[in-house]
Amino acid sequence: MDKNGNGGQNPKVGLISRIDYGSQGYRRAIVESVFKITERERTDFNILNGGIISRDFPKDIDNLVKMQLEREKDKKVKFKHLQSLTSKKRRDARKKELLERYLKQAAKELSKAIPVLKMPDPENSNKEKSVDLFITTSPAFDGEYGERLAHYLAELRPDVRVWGHGGDRFPVKYVDKVMWALAPQKAVWMRGDYYSTAVERVIKDKIKQTTQKSPDLYVVGCFGSSINKPQGELEYQYISLPNASRIEETRVSENQIGVRIIEFPLDGGPYLVKTYSLKDV
């Protein structure tokens, strides 16, 4: 074990976005391929940055709930635990139960699709530990349902953790670096004629909102692009993430499918980024 406590390996982070569960573009094969790549790269942890569900998923779930309520009404199904409520409160309570059921069912399916990864424990070479998957949801893409589904998934999986809605800061151990994963708050941010337009709009808006200092690297998800802007004309560094699903929309900025790996050299040198394309999958 070297003095850094991690066996002398440069810390690596797997960066994933837009699984888009519930869409026609959702592919379990792509999800599995993404995590196999992070396993091969021996990432210290992974981040799913926005797009755990499709933007149509809430509407689809609401329709399922509505149809089930109508079926139960037609069959005059009664629920003993709701009999003391008024008709309206009974329907609202049943609607809440059905929504929870469908979201938990989706969480179970995602739990099966996302592999549980193991790695040598940096603190004890004789043991293994789970590779954590951190989820940050996007208000524009995931909304309330995506946030709830993420929490249900975390209840099923001890290796899954839900961090800030819309983004959060992630410290990288052993190198004293901080990444700030950002996901779109507003749908209007998705418009733009260039790959970088929407991505930089998200970053600039966050800079205006916060009093915290800029991180070593911004990581922006949900736009289906693979931009890498190291230190240069901008006063901050950033990368954007490809989708981990088949692309359904045809926007200028959305044309990449895959996963990115960030490596931070222990000597404090510039970060290294690898992009794995999964368009063929």
Side-chain angles (χ1 to χ4, degrees):
M1 187 67 64
D2 94 334
K3 64 181 181 179
N4 294 293
N6 70 330
Q9 299 294 318
N10 289 339
K12 293 182 180 181
V13 182
L15 300 171
I16 304 150
S17 186
R18 294 285 299 278
I19 285 178
D20 281 359
Y21 177 83
S23 73
Q24 291 185 352
Y26 169 74
R27 293 289 185 276
R28 181 165 175 168
I30 294 179
V31 174
E32 291 174 345
S33 296
V34 159
F35 284 96
K36 283 179 183 176
I37 290 168
T38 68
E39 183 176 34
R40 191 165 66 241
E41 285 282 350
R42 296 178 63 187
T43 55
D44 293 88
F45 63 93
N46 300 311
I47 301 172
L48 172 55
N49 187 15
I52 190 171
I53 60 173
S54 73
R55 278 180 290 165
D56 290 332
F57 181 81
K59 180 177 65 178
D60 294 339
I61 288 290
D62 286 342
N63 286 336
L64 280 174
V65 170
K66 182 179 178 181
M67 286 189 294
Q68 180 61 21
L69 287 172
E70 289 174 353
R71 281 195 291 266
E72 292 173 356
K73 182 180 179 181
D74 291 342
K75 293 181 179 180
K76 299 181 179 179
V77 178
K78 298 186 184 299
F79 299 93
K80 289 183 179 180
H81 66 293
L82 302 177
Q83 288 304 302
S84 62
L85 302 176
T86 64
S87 176
K88 183 180 185 307
K89 288 185 177 180
R90 189 161 57 243
R91 182 179 175 85
D92 289 344
R94 183 59 184 153
K95 181 178 179 180
K96 185 177 179 181
E97 288 177 349
L98 288 170
L99 177 58
E100 182 178 11
R101 179 209 293 178
Y102 291 135
L103 289 176
K104 285 186 174 181
Q105 181 180 331
K108 286 181 182 179
E109 292 178 12
L110 271 180
S111 180
K112 293 176 182 176
I114 298 172
V116 177
L117 305 180
K118 299 287 186 179
M119 65 179 292
D121 189 339
E123 311 300 333
N124 187 337
S125 58
N126 295 320
K127 293 183 178 180
E128 285 189 327
K129 67 183 287 287
S130 296
V131 179
D132 288 329
L133 171 62
F134 295 95
I135 299 176
T136 62
T137 56
S138 163
F141 281 81
D142 299 300
E144 177 194 348
Y145 288 6
E147 178 76 359
R148 289 177 63 180
L149 190 153
H151 282 283
Y152 288 141
L153 180 59
E155 290 175 5
L156 295 172
R157 293 272 297 266
D159 58 320
V160 174
R161 305 182 186 188
V162 182
W163 279 29
H165 192 42
D168 216 328
R169 295 170 72 95
F170 291 86
V172 183
K173 290 177 69 175
Y174 313 119
V175 289
D176 194 28
K177 299 288 186 181
V178 174
M179 298 187 306
W180 200 332
L182 297 176
Q185 300 267 355
K186 306 170 186 175
V188 69
W189 285 349
M190 290 175 274
R191 300 185 190 128
D193 295 329
Y194 303 99
Y195 295 119
S196 59
T197 302
V199 175
E200 291 182 9
R201 190 176 291 137
V202 170
I203 296 171
K204 290 173 183 175
D205 200 80
K206 175 55 66 176
I207 290 172
K208 290 177 183 176
Q209 289 176 0
T210 185
T211 57
Q212 298 184 73
K213 70 174 185 178
S214 290
D216 297 284
L217 179 67
Y218 285 105
V219 177
V220 183
C222 293
F223 293 114
S225 61
S226 297
I227 304 169
N228 179 23
K229 284 275 190 177
Q231 202 70 46
E233 70 274 14
L234 298 174
E235 54 189 45
Y236 50 83
Q237 302 179 97
Y238 76 84
I239 65 170
S240 64
L241 304 182
N243 290 357
S245 58
R246 193 183 76 183
I247 292 171
E248 296 294 299
E249 298 167 273
T250 54
R251 288 194 298 268
V252 169
S253 63
E254 191 168 303
N255 60 12
Q256 299 293 308
I257 301 172
V259 58
R260 306 194 88 174
I261 308 293
I262 292 289
E263 180 175 346
F264 293 92
L266 290 170
D267 62 9
Y271 68 84
L272 309 171
V273 57
K274 288 184 183 178
T275 306
Y276 288 90
S277 175
L278 292 171
K279 279 189 175 183
D280 292 339
V281 174

